[in-house]
């Protein structure tokens, strides 16, 4: 329940929906509306996560419902206990005074002074770059980006069946390949990700447990390297190897043909499913703590992101520092390089997944490692390449 409440707050935060969400985002009819207890629970979750603006809105909605006579376990006095001080903290002194008077009429003891100076840090994430890009505020491009049919620099497999290539961004170069995977292949990948079981791999001096069933996606702790579920990434994920199904190996081969990169050192295909409110905070793909494969395979030189569903509203892949926003188009894939040609990390590749507002988002990631690419993407001594 806390996760659902935080998801609603996140959608309000990212997409600047300051009004209370009362519509049925799933498109279904005859959905039971939120009662005062539900609204109060969301308000408490907002307070715990320092989302004071939204806590105030949900508390006001709770109070309105109670005033309308809707039965609930929460009382007007309990709501006013939070609502009055919060309105004062938000700078709405007339409302705070009115609510305080109502609370006093109910015989409550006041434990705060209306004349005190209170400095409150308001968490307003919509002021950052990611929220502006997620909200559709992208800069106008100064040059025309190109579309063409690609043969992967003359790859024999693509001579008679070229792929539609669209340049999404120029610096850094971000390319989208349309119709890379078919509807049947997408359904096969989804089915495999739902049905996989947990596998345990034993190394020389460590045991690596990879959850290959569709499970809550995890992130790495920057100090210990341990993986855990966090609100920075809200999704379910699974890992698929080329040996799992011919479809996986065919898709991998297709990516190798298009990019010209060696897939021998690439990671398994990661499938992720983002429901409503699912997101991934800004991050770099190349930053891995305690990466045991770094010595043998190198860093993640490139990312290939396959979109396996359309998303009605939200769910874009955004690069906040450069202002790029990539809409999910089913069957397409986008490619960008995380490393410069001199081997350094490209700081412009900071990216995030905007929360899904309406719909369901399926993606698959292929991270290509640097080893084996020495003659496919040649190094450069320039600090600009």
């Amino acid at each position: 329940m806390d996760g659902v409440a935080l998801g609603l707050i996140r959608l309000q935060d990212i997409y600047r929906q300051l009004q209370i969400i009362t519509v049925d985002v799933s498109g279904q009819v005859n959905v039971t509306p939120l009662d005062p207890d539900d609204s109060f629970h969301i308000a408490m979750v907002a307070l715990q996560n320092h989302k004071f603006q939204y806590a105030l809105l949900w508390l006001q909605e709770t109070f309105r419902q109670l005033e309308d006579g809707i039965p609930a376990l929460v009382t007007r006095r309990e709501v006013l206990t939070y609502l009055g001080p919060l309105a004062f903290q938000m700078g709405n002194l007339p409302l705070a005074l009115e609510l305080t008077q109502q609370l006093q009429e109910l015989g409550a003891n006041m434990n705060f002074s209306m004349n005190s100076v209170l400095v409150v840090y308001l968490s307003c994430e919509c002021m950052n770059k990611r929220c502006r890009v997620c909200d559709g505020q992208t800069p106008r491009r100064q040059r025309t980006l190109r579309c063409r049919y690609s043969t992967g620099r003359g790859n024999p497999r693509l001579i008679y069946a070229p792929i539609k290539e669209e340049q999404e961004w120029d610096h850094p170069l971000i390319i989208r390949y349309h119709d890379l995977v078919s509807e049947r292949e997408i359904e096969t990948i989804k089915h495999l990700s739902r049905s996989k079981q947990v596998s345990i791999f034993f190394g020389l001096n460590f045991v690596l447990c990879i959850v290959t069933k569709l499970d809550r996606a995890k992130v790495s702790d920057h100090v210990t390297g341990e993986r855990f579920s966090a609100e920075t990434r809200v999704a379910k994920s699974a890992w698929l190897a080329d040996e799992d199904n011919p479809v996986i190996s065919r898709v991998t081969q297709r990516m190798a043909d298009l990019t010209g990169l060696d897939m021998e050192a690439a990671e398994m295909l990661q499938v992720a499913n983002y429901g409503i409110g699912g997101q991934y905070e800004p991050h770099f793909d190349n930053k891995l703590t305690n990466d045991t494969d770094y010595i043998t395979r190198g860093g993640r030189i490139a990312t290939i992101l396959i979109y396996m569903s359309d998303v009605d509203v939200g769910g874009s892949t955004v690069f906040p520092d450069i202002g790029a926003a990539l809409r999910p188009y089913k069957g397409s894939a986008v490619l960008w390089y995380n490393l410069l040609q001199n081997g350094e990390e490209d700081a412009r590749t900071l990216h995030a997944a905007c929360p899904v507002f309406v719909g369901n988002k399926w993606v698959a990631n292929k991270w290509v490692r640097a080893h084996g690419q020495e003659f496919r993407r040649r190094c450069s001594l320039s600090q600009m390449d």
Side-chain angles (χ1 to χ4, degrees), residues 58-74:
W58 284 106
L59 284 171
Q60 288 177 314
E61 173 68 10
T62 305
F63 191 73
R64 182 195 65 79
Q65 291 179 330
L66 292 176
E67 290 287 276
D68 291 342
I70 300 177
L73 296 176
V74 65

mmCIF file of all heavy atoms in Angstrom, residues 58-74:
data_model
loop_
_atom_site.group_PDB
_atom_site.id
_atom_site.type_symbol
_atom_site.label_atom_id
_atom_site.label_comp_id
_atom_site.label_asym_id
_atom_site.label_seq_id
_atom_site.Cartn_x
_atom_site.Cartn_y
_atom_site.Cartn_z
ATOM 1 N N TRP A 58 -3.534 16.047 -0.240
ATOM 2 C CA TRP A 58 -4.260 14.831 0.146
ATOM 3 C C TRP A 58 -4.971 15.013 1.484
ATOM 4 O O TRP A 58 -6.060 14.462 1.702
ATOM 5 C CB TRP A 58 -3.300 13.647 0.196
ATOM 6 C CG TRP A 58 -2.925 13.136 -1.166
ATOM 7 C CD1 TRP A 58 -1.734 13.303 -1.810
ATOM 8 C CD2 TRP A 58 -3.757 12.382 -2.057
ATOM 9 N NE1 TRP A 58 -1.767 12.713 -3.049
ATOM 10 C CE2 TRP A 58 -2.994 12.133 -3.221
ATOM 11 C CE3 TRP A 58 -5.059 11.902 -1.990
ATOM 12 C CZ2 TRP A 58 -3.501 11.416 -4.299
ATOM 13 C CZ3 TRP A 58 -5.572 11.192 -3.074
ATOM 14 C CH2 TRP A 58 -4.795 10.961 -4.209
ATOM 15 N N LEU A 59 -4.392 15.780 2.403
ATOM 16 C CA LEU A 59 -5.069 16.063 3.664
ATOM 17 C C LEU A 59 -6.310 16.918 3.437
ATOM 18 O O LEU A 59 -7.355 16.718 4.077
ATOM 19 C CB LEU A 59 -4.110 16.760 4.631
ATOM 20 C CG LEU A 59 -3.065 15.862 5.310
ATOM 21 C CD1 LEU A 59 -2.045 16.702 6.051
ATOM 22 C CD2 LEU A 59 -3.741 14.878 6.263
ATOM 23 N N GLN A 60 -6.192 17.886 2.529
ATOM 24 C CA GLN A 60 -7.363 18.703 2.207
ATOM 25 C C GLN A 60 -8.473 17.854 1.589
ATOM 26 O O GLN A 60 -9.656 18.055 1.866
ATOM 27 C CB GLN A 60 -6.957 19.831 1.260
ATOM 28 C CG GLN A 60 -6.139 20.924 1.925
ATOM 29 C CD GLN A 60 -5.701 21.992 0.947
ATOM 30 O OE1 GLN A 60 -5.219 21.705 -0.145
ATOM 31 N NE2 GLN A 60 -5.892 23.247 1.330
ATOM 32 N N GLU A 61 -8.093 16.893 0.740
ATOM 33 C CA GLU A 61 -9.075 15.996 0.141
ATOM 34 C C GLU A 61 -9.731 15.133 1.222
ATOM 35 O O GLU A 61 -10.942 14.906 1.204
ATOM 36 C CB GLU A 61 -8.397 15.117 -0.912
ATOM 37 C CG GLU A 61 -9.267 14.011 -1.498
ATOM 38 C CD GLU A 61 -10.408 14.538 -2.344
ATOM 39 O OE1 GLU A 61 -10.430 15.759 -2.639
ATOM 40 O OE2 GLU A 61 -11.275 13.735 -2.718
ATOM 41 N N THR A 62 -8.931 14.668 2.176
ATOM 42 C CA THR A 62 -9.480 13.874 3.286
ATOM 43 C C THR A 62 -10.489 14.693 4.087
ATOM 44 O O THR A 62 -11.589 14.215 4.407
ATOM 45 C CB THR A 62 -8.341 13.405 4.211
ATOM 46 O OG1 THR A 62 -7.353 12.702 3.448
ATOM 47 C CG2 THR A 62 -8.876 12.485 5.296
ATOM 48 N N PHE A 63 -10.098 15.928 4.391
ATOM 49 C CA PHE A 63 -10.971 16.791 5.188
ATOM 50 C C PHE A 63 -12.270 17.107 4.431
ATOM 51 O O PHE A 63 -13.356 17.147 5.021
ATOM 52 C CB PHE A 63 -10.230 18.079 5.549
ATOM 53 C CG PHE A 63 -10.932 18.922 6.568
ATOM 54 C CD1 PHE A 63 -10.980 18.533 7.898
ATOM 55 C CD2 PHE A 63 -11.567 20.098 6.204
ATOM 56 C CE1 PHE A 63 -11.640 19.300 8.845
ATOM 57 C CE2 PHE A 63 -12.227 20.864 7.125
ATOM 58 C CZ PHE A 63 -12.264 20.470 8.455
ATOM 59 N N ARG A 64 -12.157 17.332 3.121
ATOM 60 C CA ARG A 64 -13.346 17.612 2.318
ATOM 61 C C ARG A 64 -14.316 16.439 2.354
ATOM 62 O O ARG A 64 -15.534 16.627 2.496
ATOM 63 C CB ARG A 64 -12.943 17.913 0.866
ATOM 64 C CG ARG A 64 -14.121 18.266 -0.043
ATOM 65 C CD ARG A 64 -13.729 18.194 -1.495
ATOM 66 N NE ARG A 64 -13.381 16.826 -1.903
ATOM 67 C CZ ARG A 64 -14.286 15.904 -2.184
ATOM 68 N NH1 ARG A 64 -15.573 16.149 -2.069
ATOM 69 N NH2 ARG A 64 -13.884 14.692 -2.561
ATOM 70 N N GLN A 65 -13.778 15.221 2.233
ATOM 71 C CA GLN A 65 -14.642 14.045 2.257
ATOM 72 C C GLN A 65 -15.319 13.869 3.621
ATOM 73 O O GLN A 65 -16.488 13.489 3.704
ATOM 74 C CB GLN A 65 -13.820 12.797 1.902
ATOM 75 C CG GLN A 65 -13.358 12.760 0.449
ATOM 76 C CD GLN A 65 -12.521 11.526 0.155
ATOM 77 O OE1 GLN A 65 -11.824 11.005 1.029
ATOM 78 N NE2 GLN A 65 -12.597 11.044 -1.070
ATOM 79 N N LEU A 66 -14.573 14.134 4.688
ATOM 80 C CA LEU A 66 -15.162 14.037 6.023
ATOM 81 C C LEU A 66 -16.265 15.081 6.207
ATOM 82 O O LEU A 66 -17.293 14.814 6.835
ATOM 83 C CB LEU A 66 -14.081 14.209 7.086
ATOM 84 C CG LEU A 66 -13.044 13.079 7.194
ATOM 85 C CD1 LEU A 66 -11.987 13.433 8.225
ATOM 86 C CD2 LEU A 66 -13.706 11.749 7.539
ATOM 87 N N GLU A 67 -16.037 16.285 5.662
ATOM 88 C CA GLU A 67 -17.054 17.331 5.749
ATOM 89 C C GLU A 67 -18.306 16.952 4.969
ATOM 90 O O GLU A 67 -19.416 17.374 5.304
ATOM 91 C CB GLU A 67 -16.484 18.651 5.214
ATOM 92 C CG GLU A 67 -15.422 19.270 6.097
ATOM 93 C CD GLU A 67 -16.021 19.883 7.362
ATOM 94 O OE1 GLU A 67 -16.479 21.028 7.319
ATOM 95 O OE2 GLU A 67 -16.032 19.186 8.406
ATOM 96 N N ASP A 68 -18.141 16.147 3.917
ATOM 97 C CA ASP A 68 -19.276 15.687 3.123
ATOM 98 C C ASP A 68 -20.014 14.525 3.779
ATOM 99 O O ASP A 68 -20.992 14.015 3.224
ATOM 100 C CB ASP A 68 -18.817 15.271 1.719
ATOM 101 C CG ASP A 68 -18.378 16.474 0.886
ATOM 102 O OD1 ASP A 68 -18.745 17.614 1.254
ATOM 103 O OD2 ASP A 68 -17.667 16.271 -0.122
ATOM 104 N N GLY A 69 -19.500 14.082 4.928
ATOM 105 C CA GLY A 69 -20.191 13.028 5.660
ATOM 106 C C GLY A 69 -19.826 11.620 5.257
ATOM 107 O O GLY A 69 -20.533 10.670 5.610
ATOM 108 N N ILE A 70 -18.728 11.446 4.522
ATOM 109 C CA ILE A 70 -18.302 10.099 4.137
ATOM 110 C C ILE A 70 -17.723 9.393 5.363
ATOM 111 O O ILE A 70 -16.810 9.917 6.013
ATOM 112 C CB ILE A 70 -17.261 10.157 3.007
ATOM 113 C CG1 ILE A 70 -17.861 10.853 1.775
ATOM 114 C CG2 ILE A 70 -16.762 8.764 2.640
ATOM 115 C CD1 ILE A 70 -16.879 11.031 0.634
ATOM 116 N N PRO A 71 -18.218 8.230 5.719
ATOM 117 C CA PRO A 71 -17.741 7.540 6.933
ATOM 118 C C PRO A 71 -16.292 7.093 6.795
ATOM 119 O O PRO A 71 -15.852 6.691 5.714
ATOM 120 C CB PRO A 71 -18.689 6.348 7.055
ATOM 121 C CG PRO A 71 -19.221 6.123 5.676
ATOM 122 C CD PRO A 71 -19.293 7.473 5.024
ATOM 123 N N ALA A 72 -15.554 7.157 7.901
ATOM 124 C CA ALA A 72 -14.144 6.759 7.897
ATOM 125 C C ALA A 72 -13.682 6.532 9.320
ATOM 126 O O ALA A 72 -14.314 6.980 10.293
ATOM 127 C CB ALA A 72 -13.292 7.827 7.217
ATOM 128 N N LEU A 73 -12.557 5.842 9.449
ATOM 129 C CA LEU A 73 -11.946 5.631 10.755
ATOM 130 C C LEU A 73 -11.213 6.879 11.226
ATOM 131 O O LEU A 73 -11.183 7.194 12.412
ATOM 132 C CB LEU A 73 -10.982 4.443 10.690
ATOM 133 C CG LEU A 73 -11.605 3.079 10.393
ATOM 134 C CD1 LEU A 73 -10.514 2.016 10.266
ATOM 135 C CD2 LEU A 73 -12.604 2.682 11.489
ATOM 136 N N VAL A 74 -10.573 7.589 10.288
ATOM 137 C CA VAL A 74 -9.854 8.805 10.644
ATOM 138 C C VAL A 74 -10.868 9.889 11.018
ATOM 139 O O VAL A 74 -11.961 9.970 10.450
ATOM 140 C CB VAL A 74 -8.953 9.265 9.466
ATOM 141 C CG1 VAL A 74 -9.781 9.664 8.261
ATOM 142 C CG2 VAL A 74 -8.035 10.390 9.901
#
